[in-house]
Amino acid sequence: MAETEPEVEVNGEAEVEGEAEDDSQEQDKKQKKQTRHDGGAADLERVTDYAEEKEISAANISSAVEQFGNQRSKENKLRAARENELQKVQVKKEDIELIMNELLVSKAHAEKVLREQSGDVVAALEAIISN
């Protein structure tokens, strides 16, 4: 008995199963081609996104640098004002020497902490110890 391929009906017409397989292979090829096309579109999208980010970042960088500079100048002004305020605080040489001898710190550090604590020796000693 000779084997015949079963018939499959497609679009109202009877086709042999082997021909149906050929159609499915063609559809697979079309899908692969479409997938490659979609991949190309995705690549193009990435390139345009990169170009847009580059444009945006160039504009943002200049404003960020400006903001950073403004923030730094504000901090410097505040620091200078604080230093001027601390210079107005009167401290005794004996108190500075006491802190230097007891805690073995530099004269500048002892004087700074003593000024920050408004000349209070005990508070200055505690501040140095706690740091």
Side-chain angles (χ1 to χ4, degrees), residues 42-68:
D43 289 343
L44 181 61
E45 183 69 26
R46 280 189 233 122
V47 169
T48 56
D49 286 348
Y50 175 75
E52 289 170 357
E53 288 173 5
K54 198 171 184 182
E55 290 172 4
I56 291 170
S57 65
N60 289 341
I61 288 174
S62 61
S63 66
V65 168
E66 184 178 333
Q67 288 176 354
F68 181 72

Side-chain angles (χ1 to χ4, degrees), residues 26-131:
E26 286 179 31
Q27 287 176 350
D28 288 345
K29 287 180 184 178
K30 286 180 183 179
Q31 284 180 337
K32 288 179 183 177
K33 200 178 235 186
Q34 183 68 27
T35 303
R36 276 189 255 140
H37 174 70
D38 290 343
D43 289 343
L44 181 61
E45 183 69 26
R46 280 189 233 122
V47 169
T48 56
D49 286 348
Y50 175 75
E52 289 170 357
E53 288 173 5
K54 198 171 184 182
E55 290 172 4
I56 291 170
S57 65
N60 289 341
I61 288 174
S62 61
S63 66
V65 168
E66 184 178 333
Q67 288 176 354
F68 181 72
N70 291 341
Q71 183 66 27
R72 181 174 262 177
S73 66
K74 285 179 186 178
E75 290 173 357
N76 287 340
K77 287 178 184 177
L78 288 173
R79 189 176 302 120
R82 177 76 176 143
E83 289 297 323
N84 286 337
E85 185 180 310
L86 290 177
Q87 290 300 321
K88 294 177 184 176
V89 175
Q90 298 294 324
V91 293
K92 297 178 185 173
K93 284 187 178 183
E94 302 87 37
D95 293 342
I96 295 171
E97 290 176 5
L98 174 69
I99 293 171
M100 287 173 45
N101 292 334
E102 291 299 319
L103 299 177
L104 303 174
V105 294
S106 68
K107 181 178 179 179
H109 185 64
E111 186 175 355
K112 179 182 175 189
V113 173
L114 193 56
R115 287 183 189 275
E116 288 173 349
Q117 301 301 322
S118 302
D120 185 1
V121 178
V122 176
L125 290 168
E126 290 174 351
I128 293 172
I129 290 171
S130 65
N131 288 335

